[in-house]
Amino acid sequence: MDELLPRLPFADWIDTGVDWLVDTFGTVLDGFAEVLEGIVEGSVDLLNLVPSILLAFIFALIAGVISTRKIAFFSLIGLLFIDYLGYWYPMLQMLTLVLTSVIFALVIGIPIGILSSQKAGVRKVVNPILDLMQTMPAFVYLIPAIFFFNIGVVPGVVASVIFAMPPTIRLTMLGIQQVPKDLIEATEAFGATTWQRLFKTQIPLAKPTIMAGVNQSIMLSLSMVVIASMVGAPGLGEEVYRSVTQLKTGVGVETGLSIVIVAIILDRITQYAGNRKKKLGGNTL
Amino acid sequence: MSEEYINKKIIVKGATKIFGKSSGRAIQMLNEGKTKGEILKATGATVGVKQVSFDVNEGEIFVIMGLSGSGKSTLVRLLNRLIDPTMGQILLDGKDIVQMNKEQLRDVRRKKIGMVFQNFALFPHKTIVENTEYGLEIQGVSKKERNEKAIESLRLVGLAGYEDQYPKQLSGGMQQRVGLARALANNPDILLMDEAFSALDPLIRKDMQNELLQLHHDMKKTIIFITHDLDEALRIGDRIALMKDGEIVQIGSPEEILMSPSNEYVERFVEDVDLSKVLTAGHIMKKADTVKVDRGPRVALRLMQQLGISSIYVVDNANRLLGAVTAQDTVEAIESEKSLSDVIISDLPMVSPDTVLTELFDVVSTASIPVAVINEEQKLQGIIIRGALIGALSGDNKFINTDGTMDSTEQPITEVV
Ligand SMILES: Nc1ncnc2c1ncn2[C@@H]1O[C@H](COP(=O)(O)OP(=O)(O)OP(=O)(O)O)[C@@H](O)[C@H]1O
Ligand SMILES: [Mg+2]
């Protein structure tokens, strides 16, 4: 069949583009990859120096300080259970990967969210990109990640940063825009600068919404760990992936359960941190 | 009053605000004298405020009143440029804020103008004292100093002791006090209040009006007060501007608005006013027939006979009210060679000139002789006759003194001998 329109070689163009990027920024990217890998692996090693039971207590203590005793208690039991199952080290690897990704996602995402909340122009660019990112299947992010960073922990982190970022951007933007108009008017009537309006009023009031975004980003990053293991990111995800490919149902359930425990702990702590203010009558949003 | 130099705090000249895109065409149509409706139809642009000019004297309470959508909020926001005017000049202390750059404008907002909002607009994440400190905080005033000023400001509005609560924990009336305290803490010359009391229930509202009047009396701020409630406007306004479709249709004292509405619109607005709550004893009092106490009973009797009345008020030489005497008692006094002060009835019904009619009913209906109106110095101002009270309530203007006092040429002293 003769085609009326010539088929445009989109795939070729993208490949060429990526190749050009790799050629041009290769050294920079390599340097970045090395630093990132150093940070992640260094952190894992450092954490692993601490005896697992002691570390479980420390984590529980942190949970208790941020949130409630109940959540702290659950964290302790959950972590000790993972240790008992023998997945302590992969759990540390996963946790480090997740937290590193989330920190990057927040460091990049929150400023983008703030900026887009202020400028309609930025919003017009950012919104469609976010729509695209959120409809894209997760493992698509792995492909460019591999191109730029080969395999291992770095493409895993990069893919999960990209995957986890949209909710943080969106909810930061939303939270700031949701601040009631009369409060904004009050800041202006009293002669506040843009900066003062943002940091003394909008961001503090948007905090619960921003925290909901952070919570979602953490959850997305966790959901990425299994996928990231396909490009060689180590951790609990890798164990799940292996058990699936080797049809080891028992191991699959154990490792899956461990991921769920970590997910619940992180979820509860961040949810609590986001809602805490409400009790003081501190928020209307 | 007229020779006293009055400082114009705010002068607005031809201020116009058009919302929407095709403001160029809208301006053109405006100059052609087209109405708000015609302009909206033709261009899609809304005329918020239309070529408004007025000025506000230093220290006065200037009320802007009008129905919903008449442009009150837009107009008041032009005064601190929360909304930029499309055209016109707005002079604060002689300086045109429309020409100011961002920094100058910010400085005016920080130092010169305070604002109080309809729905309070308190920051929910800040305590009451932190809310009150807000204006000073963004000016970079030290923690200690702004805290002192905020606490003082809260004390002024009667909220001492609530410093560490959050807005949510306070009632509506208290929240608006915080709104007021926040505006006062900066010590601005001008206060803008956009329907500041409209969200409050009627009793609290009245308290707030009284307190505002008290604060105004003590602090002498220039206040621009927006309301859609005529009763409120009449209660607190030194002058009232009535708006319709973005234009000011009449400016005047409460009495002027009430007694001589300049057109049908104002008349309709004013029609529903409960006159009994607005009119005061001063509005309906008539001049009193009096006799000085040292003239003696014979003069008093003669006066009563001449005037055809059965009792007369007795005053001292400074026109202070001493009481009244009846014709019958006076005859007895003459027969038994007594003086007027021996037969005087000093236990008289008395009211002050600003007593509203609702409060007059009881006094007037139980009194056997006309009720005396006296000022703070006990001087007799006039009397209330039952017929005048009823006549005024029925809206008959001939029973009403337009300026709330009687003309000075009509001094209530009758010395016919
Ligand atoms: N931001 C805006 N964009 C477009 N039109 C506006 C805007 N703000 C006000 N208007 C229009 O301008 C006119 C005056 O509105 P404004 O809010 O000043 O009235 P108001 O007298 O304060 O009414 P209310 O008593 O309801 O508060 C209305 O027709 C309104 O629809
Ligand atoms: Mg309004």
Side-chain angles (χ1 to χ4, degrees):
Chain A
M1 195 177 81
D2 272 273
E3 288 166 30
L4 285 174
L5 285 170
R7 170 77 163 81
L8 290 175
F10 281 118
D12 290 349
W13 291 353
I14 291 165
D15 288 348
T16 320
V18 171
D19 282 345
W20 176 80
L21 283 174
V22 172
D23 287 347
T24 319
F25 299 107
T27 22
V28 181
L29 291 176
D30 284 349
F32 172 73
E34 238 163 77
V35 173
L36 191 60
E37 197 172 336
I39 291 173
V40 174
E41 281 172 4
S43 308
V44 175
D45 291 344
L46 202 67
L47 289 175
N48 203 37
L49 284 180
V50 186
S52 59
I53 296 178
L54 180 59
L55 197 56
F57 269 100
I58 293 174
F59 282 149
L61 198 69
I62 294 172
V65 170
I66 299 177
S67 59
T68 63
R69 256 186 233 172
K70 218 171 109 186
I71 297 171
F73 184 69
F74 176 83
S75 306
L76 183 64
I77 301 295
L79 291 172
L80 289 177
F81 182 64
I82 293 171
D83 189 29
Y84 169 74
L85 291 178
Y87 299 114
W88 186 256
Y89 188 69
M91 190 277 293
L92 286 184
Q93 286 177 312
M94 178 188 76
L95 194 64
T96 313
L97 188 142
V98 167
L99 294 182
T100 312
S101 314
V102 169
I103 288 168
F104 272 96
L106 299 189
V107 167
I108 304 167
I110 291 179
I112 293 179
I114 292 173
L115 196 67
S116 356
S117 74
Q118 301 298 302
K119 308 251 184 240
V122 179
R123 209 148 53 230
K124 270 188 197 135
V125 179
V126 168
N127 268 328
I129 295 178
L130 289 180
D131 290 338
L132 189 78
M133 282 168 83
Q134 286 186 309
T135 43
M136 199 82 94
F139 55 80
V140 173
Y141 296 120
L142 292 178
I143 303 167
I146 295 172
F147 257 103
F148 293 121
F149 302 109
N150 291 317
I151 57 165
V153 73
V154 176
V157 170
V158 170
S160 84
V161 167
I162 299 171
F163 187 63
M165 204 157 39
T168 292
I169 298 180
R170 255 199 222 285
L171 287 166
T172 301
M173 191 162 38
L174 183 76
I176 291 176
Q177 286 180 317
Q178 265 179 351
V179 174
K181 198 175 154 284
D182 60 340
L183 292 187
I184 304 299
E185 203 171 39
T187 65
E188 278 170 6
F190 281 97
T193 59
T194 310
W195 216 243
Q196 288 173 327
R197 185 191 67 214
L198 202 54
F199 286 94
K200 287 186 191 298
T201 306
Q202 289 179 303
I203 293 177
L205 286 173
K207 220 167 102 193
T209 315
I210 296 175
M211 280 310 293
V214 172
N215 175 279
Q216 284 193 26
S217 286
I218 291 177
M219 294 302 115
L220 283 184
S221 171
L222 265 166
S223 75
M224 192 69 182
V225 296
V226 179
I227 300 166
S229 67
M230 286 157 64
V231 295
L236 274 176
E238 190 188 11
E239 305 292 331
V240 174
Y241 183 55
R242 193 181 306 139
S243 70
V244 170
T245 50
Q246 296 173 6
L247 288 175
K248 289 182 181 161
T249 313
V251 177
V253 171
E254 279 180 4
T255 48
L257 193 64
S258 305
I259 293 181
V260 170
I261 290 171
V262 175
I264 292 176
I265 294 172
L266 292 177
D267 179 59
R268 290 302 129 85
I269 294 175
T270 48
Q271 256 185 32
Y272 187 87
N275 292 331
R276 179 169 40 180
K277 268 271 153 117
K278 282 193 183 136
K279 276 194 198 148
L280 302 171
N283 214 302
T284 51
L285 294 181
Chain B
M1 197 60 173
S2 52
E3 61 263 48
E4 192 182 320
Y5 175 71
I6 299 174
N7 191 13
K8 301 273 182 241
K9 193 73 186 171
I10 304 172
I11 301 174
V12 177
K13 288 186 197 161
T16 297
K17 175 64 195 181
I18 296 168
F19 293 105
K21 285 204 185 90
S22 37
S23 62
R25 270 208 58 206
I27 291 172
Q28 202 187 333
M29 290 186 69
L30 210 64
N31 291 335
E32 288 163 11
K34 296 282 197 296
T35 67
K36 177 173 169 166
E38 286 166 343
I39 294 171
L40 179 65
K41 219 173 193 178
T43 66
T46 308
V47 180
V49 168
K50 185 175 165 186
Q51 289 161 337
V52 159
S53 299
F54 63 93
D55 37 55
V56 180
N57 301 325
E58 176 145 33
E60 104 178 306
I61 302 187
F62 188 84
V63 172
I64 299 172
M65 185 175 62
L67 298 175
S68 185
S70 57
K72 308 178 296 290
S73 295
T74 309
L75 179 55
V76 79
R77 279 163 179 72
L78 295 179
L79 302 179
N80 60 355
R81 270 184 61 194
L82 282 180
I83 295 176
D84 270 314
T86 313
M87 286 188 298
Q89 283 180 302
I90 292 154
L91 308 172
L92 300 187
D93 288 326
K95 290 199 201 80
D96 189 356
I97 61 159
V98 183
Q99 303 301 330
M100 287 183 181
N101 64 26
K102 261 190 174 173
E103 281 72 39
Q104 291 169 318
L105 180 62
R106 197 177 295 141
D107 207 53
V108 166
R109 287 175 178 172
R110 287 180 175 187
K111 307 263 165 68
K112 198 170 274 194
I113 307 185
M115 193 160 183
V116 183
F117 299 86
Q118 177 167 5
N119 294 312
F120 323 138
L122 300 179
F123 302 112
H125 62 299
K126 289 177 183 282
T127 61
I128 298 308
V129 72
E130 286 167 353
N131 263 287
T132 313
E133 282 173 6
Y134 182 77
L136 299 164
E137 181 189 349
I138 60 177
Q139 290 176 38
V141 174
S142 75
K143 180 81 197 158
K144 185 168 168 291
E145 191 186 334
R146 68 184 197 233
N147 191 263
E148 276 165 16
K149 287 189 173 166
I151 287 173
E152 168 61 18
S153 193
L154 283 170
R155 198 188 55 75
L156 273 177
V157 299
L159 277 185
Y162 289 92
E163 288 81 5
D164 297 324
Q165 309 245 5
Y166 281 89
K168 252 197 203 163
Q169 295 168 285
L170 268 53
S171 70
M174 287 158 104
Q175 289 191 35
Q176 193 56 300
R177 281 165 209 262
V178 181
L180 193 55
R182 179 174 65 176
L184 291 173
N186 285 11
N187 196 21
D189 305 345
I190 303 170
L191 270 185
L192 306 178
M193 305 181 72
D194 186 4
E195 306 230 11
F197 302 153
S198 299
L200 306 176
D201 62 51
L203 284 178
I204 310 265
R205 190 166 177 174
K206 198 146 189 191
D207 286 347
M208 291 294 283
Q209 290 166 356
N210 289 338
E211 265 173 62
L212 183 70
L213 288 172
Q214 187 61 49
L215 279 172
H216 176 252
H217 181 262
D218 298 343
M219 303 177 85
K220 305 275 182 276
K221 307 267 180 219
T222 307
I223 299 177
I224 312 289
F225 192 98
I226 308 286
T227 181
H228 58 245
D229 177 26
L230 186 61
D231 284 341
E232 185 166 71
L234 295 168
R235 261 178 75 89
I236 68 170
D238 290 322
R239 284 192 305 147
I240 298 172
L242 237 146
M243 288 191 81
K244 184 199 179 199
D245 291 342
E247 289 174 279
I248 290 186
V249 290
Q250 184 173 7
I251 299 185
S253 68
E255 279 84 5
E256 280 163 5
I257 299 266
L258 208 56
M259 299 312 159
S260 42
S262 70
N263 62 26
E264 207 191 326
Y265 174 77
V266 182
E267 216 166 83
R268 281 228 317 279
F269 212 103
V270 169
E271 189 173 75
D272 298 333
V273 181
D274 184 352
L275 287 171
S276 66
K277 286 189 190 139
V278 177
L279 294 177
T280 61
H283 283 112
I284 61 161
M285 66 190 178
K286 293 286 163 255
K287 61 179 185 162
D289 299 305
T290 61
V291 63
K292 294 211 169 116
V293 65
D294 54 9
R295 296 298 156 99
R298 282 179 184 80
V299 175
L301 187 63
R302 169 126 189 240
L303 267 174
M304 281 185 268
Q305 282 165 349
Q306 273 179 353
L307 296 163
I309 51 180
S310 61
S311 60
I312 193 163
Y313 289 97
V314 182
V315 295
D316 67 7
N317 282 322
N319 198 33
R320 278 191 291 261
L321 181 65
L322 300 172
V325 290
T326 62
Q328 206 180 349
D329 290 347
T330 314
V331 171
E332 271 172 37
I334 293 168
E335 285 169 358
S336 51
E337 296 292 322
K338 287 186 188 159
S339 72
L340 264 186
S341 43
D342 292 327
V343 291
I344 210 162
I345 309 163
S346 51
D347 177 25
L348 287 180
M350 287 181 253
V351 296
S352 75
D354 51 13
T355 312
V356 293
L357 298 197
T358 38
E359 289 164 26
L360 271 179
F361 290 140
D362 277 355
V363 192
V364 172
S365 62
T366 54
S368 56
I369 52 175
V371 173
V373 181
I374 53 163
N375 67 7
E376 311 83 85
E377 292 141 8
Q378 293 288 310
K379 289 192 180 172
L380 184 62
Q381 306 290 298
I383 54 168
I384 308 279
I385 300 163
R386 200 174 305 174
L389 175 60
I390 294 162
L393 284 176
S394 68
D396 191 337
N397 278 355
K398 86 169 178 273
F399 293 105
I400 300 169
N401 315 312
T402 44
D403 59 353
T405 59
M406 278 183 299
D407 212 305
S408 53
T409 56
E410 261 187 80
Q411 272 303 315
I413 297 191
T414 326
E415 287 288 359
V416 231
V417 185

